[in-house]
Amino acid sequence: MKKLLLGNEAVARGLYEAGVHVVSSYPGTPSTEITEYAAEYNEIYTEWAPNEKVAAEAAFGASQAGGRSFCGMKHVGLNVAADPLFTASYIGVTGGFVIGVADDPGMHSSQNEQDSRHYAIASKMPMLEPSDSAECKEFTKLAYELSEQFDTPVYLRLVTRIAHSRSLVEINERQEVALKKYEKNQAKNIMLPAFARQKHPIVEQRTLDLQEYAESSAINRVELGGTGIGIICAGSAYCYAKEALGEEASYLKLGMVYPLPVKLIKDFAAKVEKLYVIEELDPIIENHCRQIGVEVIGKELFPLCGEFTQATVKAAILGQKEESLSVEAQIPPRPPALCSGCPHRGVFYILKKLGVFVSGDIGCYTLGAAAPLFAIDTNLCMGSSISALHGVNKANPEFQDKAVAVIGDSTFLHTGINSLINVAYNRSNSVSIILDNSITGMTGHQQNPATGYNIKGEPANAICLEDLCRSVGINSVVVVDPYNLEELERVLKEELAKDEPSVIITRRPCVLLKYVKPNPPLYVNKEKCKSCKACMRIGCPAISFKGGKAEIDRTLCVGCGVCVAMCKFDSIGGEA
Amino acid sequence: MSVTSVLIVGVGGQGTLLASKLLGNALVTQGLDVKVSEVHGMSQRGGSVITYVRYGDKVHSPIVDEGEADFILSFEQLEAARYLPYLKKGGVIVTNTQQIDPMPVITGAMEYPQGLAKEIEAKGATLISIDALKLAEEAGSSKAVNVVLLGAMAKYLDIPKEVWLQTIRENVPARFVELNLKAFTLAG
C-alpha cells in the first residue's frame, strides 16, 4: 500500500519498521514531526528531552543497552548535541544509533543557514540524505543496518523541502529487532585518553571502509541520459536538477553525502562532457571532487545562500527563465506577527514603553523584535538571553537598571537555566523575564518539563519554575499576569530598581491552546474613538484603522483587553 | 500525463494545510504521482503562506516556480496578487474575496491596494472570485473557508466528486465531516 507521507512522517515510519526502541528529541523546525509521528507508534518509547544534548545522550545510552535508538533535531540543535556525538563516534554503537538533522536552506524558520554536512566530516560519521519521502523511509532503515555493520552512529540529513514535502511511500511491516546483548567492554565504551588513542585509528579505518561501501552502494547511483551535461547532486538538489534538465543530462545521485566515493565520481566524470555539482549551501561535494582531481563547475554558477529551485538550475545551466505576470500595485509584505491575544504582546509593549535594553531568545516571542514593537535589542541562540544579559551587565553596570532578558518556558528549560545559574553564582544584577505560555509554542505546541504532560499527553512531573529559580539562588521571583499591563509595569520598575538578580514570570497560556477559552471579542465605540491610534501601537492583527476610526476584527479578537488599557477615551469594550 | 502545478496561498492560520492535504490525497486515488510541499513553523504566525501541489505521471520537484502554476488557489485577495508571478500563461486563479490587513497596513505604514481583481484580470489571468467566508459561515463555520475554496477549484480538476467527498470523510475529524461536505459543495 502506498501513502502520501510528509518526509518527517516517512522517517518516523522508517523508525517503526526498523524496530527502533527509543526516540529522544527536542523540537525544532523543520525536524519536529519526526518525533511527533514516532510517538504515535506504541512500540517505540518516545520522549521530548529538555534539549538536544540530553536527547543525544539518552539515545546513546539506549544504543549502549543494545536498543536501536534515534534523536532528531534541527541544524542548530546539532550544535547543542555536538559534544556527545563527537565522542560517540569513537565509541560506536551496540544497538543502531541514528541522528536525524534537518537543515533549513532559505531560513524559513531559523536564525542561520549552517550546513550540517560539516558535522559528518568533523565527527567522522557517515551521513545519508534522501530526496523524497520514499527515500526518507528507506534511508532511515538503511542507516540502522550501516550503524550496526560499521559500528558507528549515522546521520540522516534532511532539508526543509524534503522534511516538509509529502510524496508516496510504500508501507511495510515493523521488523522487531531484539535488544543486543550488553557486554561490559571498557576499552570500547570509555574514552579515556589511553583507550581513545587506540580508537582513533579504528575510526579512520572505518571511514575508509565506508568510502569503499559508497563506491558500490545502490543509494549512490548513476542515471545516464544525455552525456553533454553531467550532474552530481544529492537530496533536494536532485529534485531540482531532474525537474530542470530531465533526460537531457546524466546524473550521479548520491544518497550518502559522507564519506563520498572517489572511483564512482571519476568514472562518472569520464562519461560526460561538462560536469556540474549542484548543492544547496556549502561546496562540500564540489570541494571533494576538486580534491580528487575531478574538474567540476559548482559555486561559480550556483549561490552559497538560500534555497534552490528548478529555476535556479535552469538559469545557471541553460540560461532560461520562465515568463511571469505581475501587478503594478505595491503589495504590502505580510510578515509573521504575534497572534491576537498573544500573552507576550503586553510584555513587549511595556518594555518598549520603559525603553529598556532587551536581550532576546528563540521562540514565537522573537517576533517582539518586529514592527511596531521593535522591542528586542539582541538575539543569538537557544538559552542565550539570560547569559548575554549577564555579560552586558558585567561589562557596563549602567545597564543593570534598564536591561532585561526575555525567554520562553521551554527555552528556559532547554539551556536558559544554566544561564540563570551563572547570574546567581557570579552575581549580576540582572532581571530575567520568563514568558511562560505553558507550551513549546513556535514549533507547534509540544509539551515540555514545565507543562505537566509528556509527549503522549499523559500526566508527567511539572517543574515549578518559581521554585527552580529560587533553588539556584534567585531570591526575588515574581509571577505576573501579562494581560495586566499596570501590574506588569509596576513589577518591572520594582525589579529593575532592586540591587539583586531577579526573575519575573509572566504566566498566561498560549491563546492557540485548545483548552484556552477565548473571552468574547471586543468592539470599538466609534463615537468615543478619537482616532488617536494609541491602540495600534501594540501591533495586534485584529485591530485596523477603517474610515478614520479603529476597528476590531471579531473573528480574530480573543478579548485579551490589552488594547482596552491603551485607550484613554474608554472607547474599547465588550458588547454594547 | 504531464505535470500539473497548483499553488495554495493564504495567511497563516487560514487552514491552507488541510486544503493541500485533501487535494494531495484525492489525487493519489487517481493513480498519479503527487508531491505536496508545505510551510510549517515561523511563517504560520499570521504570515503569508504558500503550499505547492504537483501531480502527473512522475513529479521530481516539490516546488512550483514563477510562471509554472496551472492553478492558484488563494485564501485572500492580496495574496492572489502577491503570487500572480507564479501563474503560467493561461492559468486560472480561484480567490477568496476576503481582505486581511497585513501588519504594514495595520500600522499605517502602507495602504491595502484597491482594484486588485481588475488588475489581475487585465494581465490576462482567468480570475474566479468567491466570498468564501460568507459561504463557510453558511456551511456552519468560518473555519471552513479552505474547503469552500477547494470545492470551487475542484470543477477544473479531473477528479470525480465522490472521490472528493470520500477524501473529506477520511481526513477530517468525524464531528466536522458534515460541515465540510456541505462547505465543499457550496461554491462547486
Side-chain angles (χ1 to χ4, degrees):
Chain A
M1 184 186 49
K2 278 193 173 181
K3 281 177 89 172
L4 197 56
L5 299 188
L6 205 60
N8 284 342
E9 191 178 4
V11 172
R13 182 74 204 180
L15 297 175
Y16 172 76
E17 290 180 10
V20 166
H21 302 90
V22 171
V23 171
S24 182
S25 304
Y26 184 80
T29 314
S31 71
T32 311
E33 299 83 3
I34 300 174
T35 304
E36 288 185 316
Y37 280 110
E40 292 182 6
Y41 298 108
N42 285 328
E43 293 86 343
I44 308 175
Y45 169 77
T46 310
E47 66 179 23
W48 288 128
N51 65 43
E52 296 85 354
K53 177 177 183 288
V54 173
E57 289 156 353
F60 164 78
S63 158
Q64 287 265 297
R68 285 190 162 184
S69 68
F70 177 85
C71 61
M73 59 200 69
K74 67 183 294 173
H75 59 318
V76 285
L78 188 52
N79 301 333
V80 180
D83 192 6
L85 293 179
F86 274 62
T87 305
S89 171
Y90 277 34
I91 291 177
V93 306
T94 305
F97 176 15
V98 176
I99 302 104
V101 57
D103 288 6
D104 190 15
M107 292 178 276
H108 296 271
S109 202
S110 302
Q111 66 270 39
N112 76 28
E113 214 171 10
Q114 72 188 44
D115 189 329
S116 292
R117 293 177 297 172
H118 292 291
Y119 274 101
I121 299 168
S123 63
K124 301 174 191 287
M125 303 197 304
M127 179 177 265
L128 308 184
E129 182 171 2
S131 288
D132 59 20
S133 298
E135 286 189 353
C136 281
K137 196 193 83 168
E138 288 316 311
F139 286 15
T140 300
K141 292 164 78 172
L142 176 64
Y144 283 96
E145 287 171 27
L146 295 178
S147 174
E148 289 167 3
Q149 183 188 339
F150 290 92
D151 191 15
T152 177
V154 176
Y155 293 107
L156 180 76
R157 181 202 190 219
L158 307 180
V159 295
T160 302
R161 225 26 105 164
I162 303 302
H164 286 167
S165 288
R166 292 175 191 275
S167 56
L168 290 168
V169 180
E170 184 72 41
I171 303 297
N172 302 107
E173 292 306 309
R174 176 174 167 97
Q175 213 65 38
E176 287 298 343
V177 179
L179 292 175
K180 298 250 174 353
K181 192 175 180 317
Y182 174 74
E183 279 165 29
K184 187 162 180 166
N185 183 348
Q186 293 192 312
K188 172 168 167 53
N189 294 326
I190 302 174
M191 284 305 107
L192 286 165
F195 292 144
R197 276 181 218 117
Q198 289 170 19
K199 226 32 204 299
H200 189 180
I202 296 173
V203 169
E204 297 302 335
Q205 182 57 45
R206 182 180 73 198
T207 301
L208 294 176
D209 295 345
L210 279 158
Q211 190 167 59
E212 197 52 43
Y213 169 84
E215 299 289 358
S216 59
S217 168
I219 65 168
N220 290 339
R221 65 169 190 262
V222 172
E223 295 175 10
L224 275 185
T227 52
I229 299 173
I231 306 287
I232 305 178
C233 55
S236 52
Y238 169 75
C239 305
Y240 309 139
K242 197 86 184 174
E243 182 74 35
L245 307 168
E247 304 303 314
E248 269 180 62
S250 291
Y251 305 85
L252 172 55
K253 197 263 192 207
L254 298 169
M256 187 185 245
V257 291
Y258 185 78
L260 291 162
V262 175
K263 188 172 174 298
L264 186 62
I265 290 175
K266 285 185 172 171
D267 288 352
F268 180 70
K271 289 189 181 110
V272 296
E273 282 167 41
K274 218 168 176 184
L275 184 57
Y276 299 86
V277 173
I278 307 181
E279 55 191 327
E280 290 174 321
L281 306 178
D282 295 340
I284 293 191
I285 302 173
E286 178 182 339
N287 288 349
H288 170 77
C289 289
R290 297 231 162 90
Q291 229 169 30
I292 61 171
V294 172
E295 208 173 300
V296 294
I297 304 162
K299 291 297 171 187
E300 57 266 56
L301 268 189
F302 290 93
L304 284 162
C305 311
E307 187 176 43
F308 291 1
T309 68
Q310 52 269 30
T312 319
V313 180
K314 278 185 201 164
I317 295 181
L318 305 175
Q320 292 174 358
K321 190 183 181 308
E322 297 289 338
E323 281 179 42
S324 65
L325 306 170
S326 63
V327 294
E328 252 78 320
Q330 228 203 328
I331 307 288
R334 191 186 297 277
L338 293 172
C339 304
S340 56
C342 175
H344 306 326
R345 174 171 287 104
V347 179
F348 285 117
Y349 171 72
I350 297 295
L351 292 174
K352 188 188 180 189
K353 185 179 169 190
L354 298 181
V356 295
F357 173 95
V358 177
S359 177
D361 221 301
I362 307 290
C364 290
Y365 50 90
T366 312
L367 293 169
L373 292 160
F374 301 113
I376 294 176
D377 288 79
T378 183
N379 203 42
L380 183 63
C381 66
M382 290 287 289
S384 66
S385 57
I386 297 174
S387 21
L389 174 68
H390 173 80
V392 164
N393 288 336
K394 286 292 179 191
N396 184 351
E398 281 181 17
F399 275 87
Q400 286 178 146
D401 54 359
K402 52 185 181 210
V404 302
V406 290
I407 186 166
D409 46 326
S410 189
T411 309
F412 177 66
L413 294 171
H414 177 277
T415 35
I417 178 64
N418 299 295
S419 310
L420 190 67
I421 290 170
N422 195 37
V423 165
Y425 173 53
N426 288 311
R427 197 74 184 173
S428 68
N429 185 6
S430 298
V431 176
S432 305
I433 304 175
I434 303 175
L435 305 164
D436 179 12
N437 65 350
S438 311
I439 201 74
T440 311
M442 178 57 92
T443 44
H445 285 176
Q446 288 72 35
Q447 303 296 343
N448 69 50
T451 64
Y453 295 94
N454 67 17
I455 191 170
K456 300 245 186 201
E458 299 154 347
N461 177 61
I463 290 180
C464 172
L465 294 176
E466 299 88 305
D467 289 352
L468 178 61
C469 295
R470 286 191 195 105
S471 74
V472 303
I474 307 294
N475 296 317
S476 184
V477 180
V478 192
V479 181
V480 193
D481 176 358
Y483 279 179
N484 187 341
L485 297 189
E486 217 173 292
E487 175 77 354
L488 197 59
E489 185 169 346
R490 186 186 64 75
V491 167
L492 252 165
K493 283 179 176 162
E494 230 170 73
E495 297 307 311
L496 282 165
K498 279 185 187 165
D499 198 19
E500 62 173 328
S502 60
V503 168
I504 302 171
I505 301 171
T506 62
R507 180 166 291 145
R508 166 87 46 182
C510 171
V511 286
L512 299 182
L513 282 166
K514 286 209 170 75
Y515 70 80
V516 175
K517 295 277 169 269
N519 295 322
L522 300 167
Y523 86 111
V524 179
N525 182 327
K526 304 264 170 168
E527 279 160 26
K528 286 188 183 172
C529 175
K530 299 281 184 279
S531 312
C532 71
K533 295 192 177 178
C535 57
M536 312 284 288
R537 282 188 224 140
I538 52 173
C540 176
I543 308 176
S544 57
F545 218 62
K546 297 260 162 71
K549 304 276 181 183
E551 190 173 293
I552 294 175
D553 182 334
R554 299 173 66 85
T555 63
L556 289 177
C557 178
V558 296
C560 74
V562 170
C563 59
V564 176
M566 302 297 299
C567 183
K568 289 196 181 77
F569 306 101
D570 198 25
S571 72
I572 304 177
E575 200 61 71
Chain B
M1 137 184 219
S2 64
V3 173
T4 303
S5 298
V6 181
L7 224 63
I8 301 179
V9 300
V11 180
Q14 276 192 302
T16 52
L17 286 185
L18 178 65
S20 59
K21 189 179 175 191
L22 292 174
L23 175 57
N25 281 313
L27 289 163
V28 167
T29 65
Q30 304 302 291
L32 296 166
D33 190 24
V34 180
K35 279 190 177 170
V36 179
S37 187
E38 304 174 348
V39 174
H40 298 222
M42 172 75 104
S43 318
Q44 281 181 304
R45 302 285 171 269
S48 171
V49 291
I50 180 166
T51 299
Y52 311 109
V53 181
R54 307 188 74 229
Y55 59 96
D57 289 334
K58 177 69 193 164
V59 179
H60 291 292
S61 173
I63 290 184
V64 179
D65 267 312
E66 291 197 356
E68 288 185 352
D70 298 275
F71 299 97
I72 296 179
L73 185 62
S74 173
F75 283 48
E76 200 271 350
Q77 211 174 75
L78 189 62
E79 298 311 307
R82 185 189 315 282
Y83 292 105
L84 178 63
Y86 285 79
L87 195 70
K88 187 186 272 181
K89 214 174 164 189
V92 175
I93 302 180
V94 175
T95 187
N96 188 2
T97 52
Q98 193 182 351
Q99 297 190 1
I100 301 174
D101 287 348
M103 201 44 77
V105 173
I106 287 175
T107 60
M110 289 180 85
E111 295 276 323
Y112 193 107
Q114 298 303 307
L116 285 175
K118 276 195 183 139
E119 209 184 329
I120 290 171
E121 282 179 321
K123 297 289 171 189
T126 304
L127 183 74
I128 316 290
S129 295
I130 289 159
D131 189 345
L133 184 59
K134 197 178 123 210
L135 293 175
E137 280 167 354
E138 212 173 287
S141 167
S142 59
K143 291 201 161 58
V145 159
N146 47 14
V147 178
V148 170
L149 287 166
L150 201 56
M153 190 178 71
K155 60 184 158 198
Y156 295 96
L157 307 178
D158 201 15
I159 300 173
K161 186 168 178 188
E162 189 39 48
V163 169
W164 281 111
L165 301 182
Q166 189 55 29
T167 307
I168 291 172
R169 285 186 206 109
E170 284 167 8
N171 289 282
V172 168
R175 63 185 194 282
F176 299 125
V177 166
E178 278 314 307
L179 187 160
N180 280 294
L181 290 177
K182 188 175 176 199
F184 184 80
T185 52
L186 282 178

